[in-house]
Amino acid sequence: MNHARFGVLSLLLEVSADPKPGNVDKEHEFKDLKYKHFLISAISAYPTFKDCMNRRGSIGLNIFKAVSRSYEICKTNVHFGAFILLIPLIWCKGNVKDVPFELKRTTSKESLHVLSAFRVCKPKVMNSDFDLRDAKIERIIIEEDLNLYRWFKRSPRENVIAREPIEGYWRCLKGLKVLKNFYEKYGDLNDSIVYTYLHLLSSYLDPLVISKHGMDVAMDVKNRARDVLREFRCGDLDAVKEFDVDLLSKGINPGSIADLTCATIYLSLKEGII
């Protein structure tokens, strides 16, 4: 199996599925983040994904390489969260149980690579005691010899991007079952991905929404997604479209849940479900 291709395809399928409320797709873009950026970023990641698949470099270095290549071309943050999720998975050839073990084997040097990736693309992050925007953070990583596992473990529990790799991707595995069941029942890949995205959005708070709009807004998005998901189950796609328009009008972008969706799609490809 070519896990590098699975990685690229998962990014392409996620951004091409629509409507995904609040996120970029074929029909909706943001002023500084376009549909083409996601396509270009996904394709640019293939060499790095291939290095991961063949165990060249390291997890941290490959995250830095993927982010740097993407930013060099797109001049904006496109896939930082998705790369955090996908690169350890591809390194372990989709064996989710192996990822925490591999992260425990990383070094503080790899954490510094990921910190460098963060400084390249400057993604919006939640406030926490371990704040990546702190000028002292590099010294803390070195002095405390923080590898990726210990770093991610310090993240707030709402930070699903950092928590997922050290917790064995249990959220994505739940999403995998949802996608599998929907796809087997209806045979429509676009709707299966949209449904899975809504399921994840209705189940977990989005850290990007928290960082930009606060906890109350994130909770409201989660609760509304649950209602929309129920209507989508009954065949009402209009409710999804209305939710999408509303979030976009308010500048609410659940990008972290989109990243979880990418990793879920990767696992679906790896399992041969889609």
Side-chain angles (χ1 to χ4, degrees):
M1 291 188 287
N2 191 322
H3 292 270
R5 289 179 183 171
F6 291 164
V8 172
L9 189 53
S10 69
L11 297 173
L12 296 175
L13 287 172
E14 185 280 324
V15 74
S16 298
D18 70 276
K20 297 188 310 298
N23 276 290
V24 172
D25 55 37
K26 297 192 296 287
E27 303 297 327
H28 301 107
E29 300 179 327
F30 301 127
K31 184 178 180 180
D32 60 344
L33 196 58
K34 308 295 185 182
Y35 177 63
K36 69 177 182 180
H37 289 147
F38 284 84
L39 302 182
I40 294 167
S41 177
I43 295 167
S44 76
Y46 181 75
T48 304
F49 287 170
K50 195 171 180 180
D51 284 344
C52 286
M53 185 178 70
N54 294 312
R55 292 291 181 97
R56 290 194 289 262
S58 67
I59 291 173
L61 177 60
N62 284 319
I63 290 172
F64 172 73
K65 286 165 60 179
V67 170
S68 297
R69 281 175 175 159
S70 172
Y71 192 85
E72 182 181 5
I73 301 169
C74 300
K75 308 302 182 188
T76 187
N77 172 38
V78 184
H79 281 132
F80 182 78
F83 290 150
I84 293 285
L85 294 173
L86 286 173
I87 283 175
L89 270 178
I90 296 170
W91 185 269
C92 296
K93 294 184 171 58
N95 297 314
V96 294
K97 293 181 180 179
D98 292 345
V99 173
F101 173 75
E102 289 296 329
L103 291 176
K104 287 177 181 178
R105 295 179 62 190
T106 61
T107 65
S108 59
K109 185 176 180 180
E110 292 185 58
S111 294
L112 293 175
H113 283 312
V114 176
L115 178 62
S116 295
F118 173 83
R119 288 172 172 170
V120 165
C121 65
K122 299 178 178 63
K124 191 78 173 176
V125 293
M126 295 173 59
N127 293 325
S128 70
D129 294 335
F130 193 72
D131 194 331
L132 298 182
R133 297 160 294 189
D134 190 334
K136 301 175 183 177
I137 202 68
E138 186 171 351
R139 178 169 57 81
I140 293 171
I141 290 172
I142 294 170
E143 289 180 354
E144 298 188 19
D145 194 26
L146 286 177
N147 65 10
L148 290 175
Y149 184 89
R150 292 195 294 275
W151 172 2
F152 291 171
K153 197 170 183 180
R154 286 193 176 193
S155 301
R157 62 183 180 85
E158 295 87 1
N159 187 346
V160 293
I161 301 303
R163 306 297 300 188
E164 193 72 352
I166 66 171
E167 294 175 359
Y169 293 85
W170 62 269
R171 299 168 189 84
C172 292
L173 289 173
K174 285 189 173 182
L176 173 65
K177 292 181 181 178
V178 171
L179 196 155
K180 178 178 183 291
N181 290 337
F182 193 97
Y183 187 62
E184 287 181 349
K185 186 173 182 179
Y186 297 103
D188 187 303
L189 184 54
N190 179 82
D191 287 0
S192 298
I193 292 172
V194 171
Y195 184 83
T196 302
Y197 166 80
L198 284 168
H199 170 82
L200 293 168
L201 188 59
S202 71
S203 301
Y204 313 109
L205 295 170
D206 187 287
L208 183 59
V209 175
I210 295 173
S211 68
K212 288 184 176 180
H213 303 279
M215 187 66 73
D216 290 344
V217 171
M219 184 63 73
D220 180 62
V221 170
K222 178 173 176 281
N223 292 335
R224 289 177 63 194
R226 187 179 300 130
D227 294 336
V228 170
L229 185 67
R230 191 179 303 114
E231 294 186 51
F232 187 16
R233 252 188 235 118
C234 299
D236 184 3
L237 199 59
D238 288 340
V240 184
K241 293 176 180 177
E242 290 171 9
F243 189 32
D244 186 27
V245 170
D246 186 48
L247 291 186
L248 290 169
S249 69
K250 296 174 180 175
I252 298 173
N253 166 219
S256 298
I257 296 301
D259 294 333
L260 277 184
T261 305
C262 289
T264 299
I265 295 169
Y266 167 84
L267 292 174
S268 301
L269 291 164
K270 182 247 180 183
E271 295 296 326
I273 292 169
I274 58 176

